[in-house]
Amino acid sequence: MHAIDVVSLTKRYRAALAVDDISFSVPRGATVGLLGGNGAGKTTTIAMLLGLLVPSSGRITVLGHDMARDRFAALARVNFSSPYVALPHRLTVAENLRVYCHLYNVRQVERRIGELTRELDLGAFIDRPAGQLSAGQKTRVALAKSLINRPELLLLDEPTASLDPDTGDLVRSWLERYRAESGCSILLASHNMDEVARLCGHVLMMKQGRIVDRGTTQELLTRYNRSDLEDVFLDIARSRGRHAGPSELGELTEMGERSEVGA
Amino acid sequence: MSSLRRIWGLMYRHLTLFRRSWPRLLDLAYWPVLQMVIWGFTSRFFAARIGNHGAVTVSMLLGGVILWETALRSHLGFAVTFMEEIWSRNLGHIFVSPLRPWELLAALVGMSAVRMMLGVVPAAVLAALLYHFNILSVGPVLILFAINLVLMGWWIALGCVSLILSQGGGAESLVWSMLIGLAPIACVYYPVAVLPHWLQYAALALPAAHVFEGLRAALGQGVIRWDHLGWALILNIGWMALAMLLFTQQFTMARRNGSLMNLGE
């Protein structure tokens, strides 16, 4: 059983097609990157995976639970972090974590908060209101919130956006360690190519709502004859997209389907 | 048990804010107390000119103030607690947690009850101290009056929250104006019979009009109007069912059109 199984997922807002018939799987214990420019459909895809948005068609299975029928059972085993969703800024870090311990039905609340405080080095500001923290501290708190229930699947939307390189590196190191120790699966949406190359075993490239290519970082580099993922990203972004000629798009799709993370 | 924990989790988040911020606590009691002061002196002024019926008039007006505040604070307590989640951009985390929509509503109901008590009790105490009006003199039936008004506050707030879910922040202003806009036909300070005939039908469709008719009967004639209490309860059940239907429909629509993702932006 995969952590995520997505089959023919489509999201249409009246005339606009935000996600167009995508299929992919995230194996257990894998970190998969979801790459694409602004408006590519990454956030919409994550919102559907979290049950925040209902697909127009298609099927999503998360940790064996059909999200259309049984999303709350899945949500108890999943967590999410994004710098674009805040935590109540008048509550202290400890109070915020306590709230989410209750929401996720975590046993031994104070012990879990203590563990996360040690692991993510929150001690210096655990009793400070969340609104008074620096961007780096907020990211660590958001990460602590996302790990409160020891999730089996972690959905991260640009987890290191607006962080300085040092803090970004700290977060990435921590995610690597956490995945190795817990066996957690991670779906990571990011614009940071170095981050994706470092953390993700597999990459899904999205453009205009479709997955236009997929594979391991090395496979993508070889396929596009490039030395870094950023150039691959630019090649895809500058191609004429899904309405491009059959030779261009057909080749991308076929190669994508052959990869391990394929549908 | 898990449900109770999740409901408590959301209530804890809001109660913590009150524990730390005395201006928030003060704000809850401020308007009910101010209303009580203004209406207390006004009713005393008129009572002095009415003569024998003065004391009953004072009781009706002050009882009306306290019970109307019960409805108003219940309504605002429910809706503002929800809006605080929007203002703090926290709904994204809440809606992707295992918290069920009905648990969210239960937490809002819990917070509404707390906020209502913190607002209304000081006003009732003030009425007793300043104007020698003890709301408890209405008798045990007072509890039934209050329950009906609290229920009315909740279903109106639920309707507002439902519209915010689908229409976004633009619908927030409804929260502040909706119940106050219904005050003329709630007949808080005057009998339903005072209204034009056609407007009486609208008034009698509101549980509040029945509650205040019942309050006046209890204070003026010392009788309990079970007919009005029964109608208030039936209407509340009907309106609450409609509000829950609206919430379910709007929540589903918000998950379809993506407005759940954009609330607070």
Side-chain angles (χ1 to χ4, degrees), chain A residues 11 13 43-44 47 50-54 67 71-73 75-76 78 80-92 95 98-107 109 145, chain B residues 1-2 5-10 12-14 16-17 19-20 24 85 87-101 251-252 254-261 265:
Chain A
K11 184 63 196 178
Y13 297 108
T43 301
T44 304
L50 287 164
L52 206 52
L53 194 59
V54 177
M67 289 301 280
R71 73 189 149 104
F72 293 111
L75 289 175
V78 175
F80 161 73
S81 178
S82 165
Y84 308 113
V85 183
L87 292 168
H89 59 271
R90 286 201 175 85
L91 264 61
T92 66
E95 287 163 348
R98 217 167 278 139
V99 168
Y100 284 95
C101 276
H102 291 307
L103 291 184
Y104 282 90
N105 202 22
V106 174
R107 306 281 167 206
V109 172
K145 174 261 153 192
Chain B
M1 197 59 192
S2 305
R5 268 202 83 187
R6 288 190 287 268
I7 293 166
W8 166 245
L10 205 56
Y12 167 81
R13 172 251 192 278
H14 291 278
T16 305
L17 288 178
R19 201 180 62 189
R20 188 166 310 117
R24 277 175 181 268
E85 297 295 354
W87 297 331
S88 62
R89 294 173 58 229
N90 188 40
L91 272 179
H93 285 310
I94 286 177
F95 283 133
V96 301
S97 79
L99 186 83
R100 277 70 166 164
F251 187 74
T252 306
R255 285 184 65 224
R256 258 193 217 124
N257 66 21
S259 58
L260 218 52
M261 294 162 65
E265 290 181 4

Side-chain angles (χ1 to χ4, degrees), chain A residues 4-138:
Chain A
I4 299 175
D5 268 314
V6 168
V7 180
S8 303
L9 188 66
T10 299
K11 184 63 196 178
R12 183 186 290 278
Y13 297 108
R14 293 191 181 147
L17 200 54
V19 171
D20 184 7
D21 193 22
I22 64 170
S23 299
F24 65 91
S25 300
V26 174
R28 291 264 186 172
T31 301
V32 173
L34 199 55
L35 273 182
N38 294 324
K42 306 186 299 293
T43 301
T44 304
T45 302
I46 287 183
M48 286 191 281
L49 290 172
L50 287 164
L52 206 52
L53 194 59
V54 177
S56 303
S57 63
R59 201 185 75 231
I60 300 171
T61 310
V62 172
L63 300 169
H65 300 283
D66 182 346
M67 289 301 280
R69 287 182 305 187
D70 199 16
R71 73 189 149 104
F72 293 111
L75 289 175
R77 300 163 61 192
V78 175
N79 216 313
F80 161 73
S81 178
S82 165
Y84 308 113
V85 183
L87 292 168
H89 59 271
R90 286 201 175 85
L91 264 61
T92 66
V93 173
E95 287 163 348
N96 266 301
L97 294 178
R98 217 167 278 139
V99 168
Y100 284 95
C101 276
H102 291 307
L103 291 184
Y104 282 90
N105 202 22
V106 174
R107 306 281 167 206
Q108 296 180 301
V109 172
E110 298 309 318
R111 185 173 160 185
R112 182 65 186 139
I113 293 172
E115 284 169 5
L116 289 167
T117 303
R118 279 190 301 280
E119 287 170 17
L120 284 158
D121 199 16
L122 310 178
F125 49 88
I126 190 77
D127 291 320
R128 204 184 296 166
Q132 292 178 12
L133 304 181
S134 68
Q137 289 168 336
K138 277 182 184 164

Side-chain angles (χ1 to χ4, degrees), chain B:
Chain B
M1 197 59 192
S2 305
S3 286
L4 282 179
R5 268 202 83 187
R6 288 190 287 268
I7 293 166
W8 166 245
L10 205 56
M11 286 185 69
Y12 167 81
R13 172 251 192 278
H14 291 278
L15 290 170
T16 305
L17 288 178
F18 286 118
R19 201 180 62 189
R20 188 166 310 117
S21 170
W22 65 263
R24 277 175 181 268
L25 279 173
L26 189 68
D27 182 56
L28 288 178
Y30 180 77
W31 286 111
V33 165
L34 193 68
Q35 287 280 82
M36 180 52 65
V37 170
I38 291 170
W39 279 99
F41 287 125
T42 307
S43 55
R44 261 193 178 180
F45 171 74
F46 284 115
R49 277 151 182 77
I50 292 169
N52 288 342
H53 299 294
V56 176
T57 306
V58 171
S59 300
M60 285 179 184
L61 285 172
L62 296 188
V65 171
I66 292 171
L67 283 182
W68 182 241
E69 284 296 326
T70 304
L72 195 59
R73 297 300 132 193
S74 302
H75 163 74
L76 288 176
F78 187 111
V80 171
T81 303
F82 179 78
M83 290 202 300
E84 284 196 6
E85 297 295 354
I86 296 179
W87 297 331
S88 62
R89 294 173 58 229
N90 188 40
L91 272 179
H93 285 310
I94 286 177
F95 283 133
V96 301
S97 79
L99 186 83
R100 277 70 166 164
W102 76 264
E103 293 166 351
L104 168 71
L105 297 183
L108 296 180
V109 159
M111 281 312 300
S112 162
V114 171
R115 294 174 82 127
M116 183 272 288
M117 293 299 281
L118 290 171
V120 172
V121 169
V125 170
L126 195 74
L129 293 177
L130 278 184
Y131 312 113
H132 310 294
F133 171 67
N134 181 5
I135 185 73
L136 299 176
S137 65
V138 176
V141 73
L142 176 74
I143 295 168
L144 298 177
F145 290 149
I147 287 173
N148 271 296
L149 290 171
V150 166
L151 285 174
M152 186 177 117
W154 287 345
W155 62 252
I156 292 174
L158 184 56
C160 294
V161 164
S162 305
L163 293 176
I164 292 171
L165 277 176
S166 64
Q167 306 301 316
E172 279 182 22
S173 57
L174 284 176
V175 168
W176 308 109
S177 56
M178 185 62 89
L179 193 58
I180 293 168
L182 290 173
I185 56 169
C187 300
V188 182
Y189 306 114
Y190 43 80
V192 174
V194 164
L195 297 175
H197 194 255
W198 59 271
L199 201 54
Q200 289 181 22
Y201 292 109
L204 291 172
L206 269 189
H210 294 278
V211 168
F212 289 110
E213 289 289 296
L215 176 71
R216 281 184 287 271
L219 289 171
Q221 298 138 37
V223 295
I224 297 173
R225 290 288 303 269
W226 292 106
D227 55 335
H228 277 303
L229 272 169
W231 271 113
L233 188 63
I234 289 167
L235 286 167
N236 267 324
I237 291 169
W239 283 115
M240 184 66 85
L242 281 177
M244 289 175 91
L245 202 67
L246 181 70
F247 176 80
T248 307
Q249 184 205 41
Q250 299 295 299
F251 187 74
T252 306
M253 194 188 292
R255 285 184 65 224
R256 258 193 217 124
N257 66 21
S259 58
L260 218 52
M261 294 162 65
N262 302 322
L263 278 174
E265 290 181 4

